[in-house]
């Protein structure tokens, strides 16, 4: 059924776009996908992505630093509640919890209590009010989510830029983090660099390009070496699905011009025991940086996965799930 919506001339294009999205998201989906996901989710072929997408939900998170703003925050909640502390999965730059589509069910089958969270400004949270999406806001959102819904020290897992999110959080909220797992960690860049100085019009043009299918395909060529073209195309659909939300562009520009993450000075001060996982064939982050990270973290072990690129949890999910499970359980056994 086709529906048309008319907005008054006083309604801004951005506000109109978000209002239309709220109206559209009231419909149900015969495949079990939550109504707030873009309709293009139906084109995804990957069965693991489709399955995880049906489990995404939004939970309320109150941001105290933003006049008590409540953000409906997207995540996948655990089915299991175990004796070990919960494992909380973050994602990389401009991604979503669907990044964990392959490894999440394996970790769940191992009996772990698993959360997959969308970092503020990315993923599928409801951001109609467009809160600030700078580093401090992302940290505050994660802390309030933890305080409201998780409530126990966690094993925080950060891939790629998610490793910087995890280190920043552990440095500022050590009481919330029992251990860290850093995968293909992007932690030595100096924020967004010169991008933070761009005029807003240029920043919007660049972010629009970031959403494009060709650029996302190129990123997949860098991240994954040995997958078919059809798989690469489908994974591109998965990777850019959240970009189709009406507030994605504004939230991403807000993050880019804010300066981004710069956590290199925090690394030596991060206390939790840390597991570092790296793909042997990572074409995005040098393996030399894995060695540097290993030596700078006070309590770290490192595992390199052969024949694997930048995102081992997507490319080698069984290997990553076993490493994480063993890391959690060995520590738990030592405590008992």
């Amino acid at each position: 059924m086709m529906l048309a919506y008319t907005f008054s001339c006083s309604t801004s294009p951005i506000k109109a776009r978000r209002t239309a999205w709220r109206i559209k998201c009231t419909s149900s989906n015969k495949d079990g996908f939550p109504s707030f996901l873009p309709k293009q989710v139906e084109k995804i072929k990957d069965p693991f992505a489709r399955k995880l997408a049906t489990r995404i939900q939004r939970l309320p998170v109150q941001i105290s630093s933003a006049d008590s703003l409540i953000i409906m925050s997207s995540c996948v909640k655990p089915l299991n509640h175990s004796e070990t502390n919960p494992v909380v999965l973050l994602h990389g730059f401009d991604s979503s919890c669907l990044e964990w589509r392959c490894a999440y069910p394996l970790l769940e089958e191992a009996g772990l209590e698993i959360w997959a969270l969308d970092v503020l400004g990315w993923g599928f949270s409801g951001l109609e009010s467009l809160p600030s999406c700078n580093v401090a806001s992302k940290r505050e959102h994660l802390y309030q989510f933890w305080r409201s819904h998780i409530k126990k020290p966690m094993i925080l897992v950060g891939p790629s830029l998610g490793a910087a999110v995890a280190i920043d959080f552990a440095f500022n909220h050590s009481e919330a983090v029992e251990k860290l797992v850093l995968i293909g960690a992007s932690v030595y860049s100096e924020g967004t660099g010169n991008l933070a100085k761009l005029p807003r019009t240029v920043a919007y043009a660049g972010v629009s390009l970031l959403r494009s299918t060709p650029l996302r395909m190129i990123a997949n060529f860098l991240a994954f070496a040995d997958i078919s073209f059809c798989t690469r195309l489908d994974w591109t659909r998965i990777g850019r699905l959240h970009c189709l939300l009406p507030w994605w562009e504004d939230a991403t520009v807000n993050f880019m011009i804010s300066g981004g993450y710069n956590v290199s000075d925090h690394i030596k001060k991060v206390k939790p025991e840390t597991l570092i996982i790296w793909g042997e064939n990572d074409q995005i982050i040098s393996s030399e940086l894995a060695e540097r990270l290993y030596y700078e973290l006070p309590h770290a072990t490192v595992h390199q996965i052969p024949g694997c690129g930048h995102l081992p949890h997507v490319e080698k999910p069984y290997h990553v799930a076993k490493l994480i499970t063993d890391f959690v359980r060995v520590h738990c056994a030592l405590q008992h």
Side-chain angles (χ1 to χ4, degrees):
M1 180 174 66
M2 297 294 291
L3 296 176
Y5 301 100
T6 303
F7 301 96
S8 69
C9 294
S10 61
T11 303
S12 70
I14 292 175
K15 185 176 180 181
R17 191 166 70 242
R18 294 176 189 154
T19 303
W21 183 264
R22 286 197 298 273
I23 295 171
K24 181 170 64 175
C25 283
T26 60
S27 62
S28 60
N29 188 289
K30 63 182 177 63
D31 294 313
F33 298 121
S35 60
F36 55 78
L37 292 183
K39 64 181 181 180
Q40 288 84 349
V41 67
E42 298 171 11
K43 297 181 180 179
I44 291 173
K45 307 298 183 184
D46 187 308
F48 298 102
R50 292 179 68 88
K51 178 66 176 178
L52 196 62
T54 64
R55 290 183 55 185
I56 299 174
Q57 57 186 283
R58 286 175 173 173
L59 299 179
V61 175
Q62 183 169 314
I63 306 298
S64 59
S65 61
D67 298 324
S68 297
L69 173 68
I70 294 178
I71 296 174
M72 297 305 296
S73 304
S74 50
C75 67
V76 179
K77 289 180 63 176
L79 295 178
N80 305 324
H81 295 280
S82 66
E83 294 182 359
T84 62
N85 280 338
V87 177
V88 176
L89 309 173
L90 304 177
H91 56 74
F93 171 74
D94 191 25
S95 185
S96 77
C97 58
L98 290 178
E99 198 174 292
W100 287 97
R101 58 193 177 273
C102 302
Y104 189 99
L106 300 174
L107 292 165
E108 201 164 58
E109 287 171 11
L112 300 180
E113 183 177 334
I114 304 293
W115 293 78
L117 308 187
D118 281 334
V119 176
L120 180 68
W122 299 314
F124 305 102
S125 296
L127 303 181
E128 292 93 337
S129 57
L130 196 62
S132 173
C133 293
N134 60 22
V135 169
S137 298
K138 291 179 189 294
R139 183 194 313 129
E140 169 73 3
H141 175 260
L142 178 54
Y143 176 72
Q144 295 300 339
F145 191 107
W146 171 80
R147 185 181 175 195
S148 299
H149 301 289
I150 300 174
K151 302 178 181 179
K152 295 190 293 184
M154 55 188 169
I155 295 90
L156 189 58
V157 184
S160 195
L161 187 70
V165 178
I167 286 176
D168 172 80
F169 187 82
F171 176 78
N172 287 280
H173 295 291
S174 59
E175 75 281 5
V177 180
E178 180 191 9
K179 308 166 68 169
L180 290 170
V181 180
L182 308 178
I183 303 174
S186 176
V187 295
Y188 289 110
S189 61
E190 296 183 358
T192 54
N194 290 330
L195 295 176
K197 302 175 183 177
L198 292 176
R200 293 186 71 88
T201 52
V202 178
Y204 271 94
V207 165
S208 180
L209 179 63
L210 182 63
R211 176 168 48 196
S212 68
T213 296
L215 190 63
R216 296 272 169 167
M217 286 285 283
I218 292 171
N220 267 336
F221 273 103
L222 290 174
F224 309 108
D226 190 22
I227 60 174
S228 69
F229 177 81
C230 289
T231 299
R232 200 179 299 278
L233 181 60
D234 196 44
W235 286 8
T236 298
R237 292 192 191 103
I238 297 168
R240 69 185 294 271
L241 183 65
H242 67 285
C243 302
L244 304 177
L245 291 170
W247 44 79
W248 170 82
E249 195 172 64
D250 300 310
T252 302
V253 167
N254 185 277
F255 171 74
M256 298 296 284
I257 65 177
S258 74
Y261 283 91
N262 189 344
V263 300
S264 57
D265 290 340
H266 297 341
I267 292 172
K268 294 180 180 179
K269 303 170 187 176
V270 171
K271 302 302 182 185
E273 183 181 357
T274 304
L275 170 65
I276 301 169
I277 301 174
W278 221 274
E280 183 181 54
N281 301 330
D282 193 332
Q283 299 298 306
I284 296 176
I285 306 295
S286 167
S287 60
E288 295 177 359
L289 295 179
E291 296 178 13
R292 177 180 170 184
L293 185 60
Y294 168 71
Y295 286 114
E296 290 188 357
L297 283 167
H299 309 288
T301 57
V302 62
H303 288 270
Q304 192 171 61
I305 300 180
C308 184
H310 182 57
L311 300 176
H313 52 301
V314 179
E315 199 170 353
K316 303 286 185 180
Y318 286 94
H319 202 144
V320 170
K322 187 177 189 310
L323 286 172
I324 293 175
T325 301
D326 291 347
F327 184 57
V328 172
R329 287 188 170 159
V330 167
H331 184 77
C332 182
L334 290 174
Q335 285 186 321
H336 287 80

